[in-house]
Amino acid sequence: MKLLYRGPARQELHEGYAKRRRIDQDAPVVSASELRIEAPVERVWQLIADPTGWPQVLPGRRVLELDAGVAEDADFVWAMGRTVMRARFAVVDVNRELTWSAVAMGVRAIDRQVLTPTPDGATVLRIEESMAAPLIGLLFSADRLRGQHEDWLRAVKAAAEQQD
């Protein structure tokens, strides 16, 4: 029953899902969105792979700890509003994918950002995320998560396209 589904343990979530470039499709809250950005993939990558710069892209996101930088298996702590997330980078594939697993208030999540260059020099940025915890579906909907993703995508698009 998805209502009580808590998802895999944090280590399995990281190793068995995030590092294998997949989210937890069984999670009660799953969302995916994508947006075409009229900027080269390298520019989009610079924005998403610089957590300390996230607040300039979209206010309300901030990094609290990033000791080892953006590297596979490096831990970091970031916040979106008042929600603090303890995260670990799983995939750092330059200009292609940035994926991490995270835990916040008992919620186990995977966030994937996948970049696809287009033949005409633009980039398609896709976000996929899963969130699992007992009763999470009653407190946080896939539509709300999709809205957060779309806000981020629009902000990255504006920042990347503004640099021209």
Side-chain angles (χ1 to χ4, degrees):
M1 170 181 257
K2 280 198 174 191
L3 189 62
L4 299 177
Y5 181 79
R6 69 180 62 245
R10 182 166 189 204
Q11 187 65 21
E12 173 60 17
L13 188 73
H14 184 73
E15 295 291 333
Y17 289 79
K19 287 189 87 160
R20 293 188 175 165
R21 301 175 188 246
R22 63 190 183 113
I23 61 173
D24 179 4
Q25 292 291 348
D26 294 327
V29 179
V30 174
S31 180
S33 296
E34 65 181 35
L35 187 64
R36 178 185 167 95
I37 300 170
E38 300 300 330
V41 70
E42 296 84 4
R43 186 178 308 155
V44 177
W45 174 260
Q46 287 174 349
L47 292 168
I48 69 167
D50 176 18
T52 59
W54 290 350
Q56 286 76 44
V57 175
L58 186 64
R61 293 179 181 221
R62 63 196 187 286
V63 172
L64 306 174
E65 295 176 27
L66 181 66
D67 297 334
V70 179
E72 290 183 8
D73 296 321
D75 292 321
F76 68 108
V77 179
W78 70 287
M80 192 165 76
R82 294 181 308 210
T83 304
V84 175
M85 289 156 266
R86 300 200 172 281
R88 178 175 295 148
F89 291 109
V91 177
V92 180
D93 188 353
V94 176
N95 297 332
R96 293 186 175 180
E97 180 175 344
L98 184 63
T99 295
W100 62 81
S101 60
V103 176
M105 300 182 301
V107 176
R108 298 172 184 163
I110 298 171
D111 188 305
R112 294 184 71 221
Q113 296 189 61
V114 180
L115 300 91
T116 305
T118 66
D120 61 350
T123 304
V124 175
L125 178 57
R126 177 178 176 81
I127 298 178
E128 300 177 350
E129 187 170 351
S130 61
M131 297 172 59
L135 308 177
I136 186 69
L138 298 175
L139 305 170
F140 198 94
S141 70
D143 287 341
R144 184 172 169 197
L145 182 60
R146 187 171 304 105
Q148 289 178 350
H149 289 167
E150 290 172 0
D151 289 346
W152 174 248
L153 290 169
R154 284 189 298 271
V156 170
K157 178 181 176 70
E161 291 177 358
Q162 180 181 25
Q163 292 181 13
D164 279 334

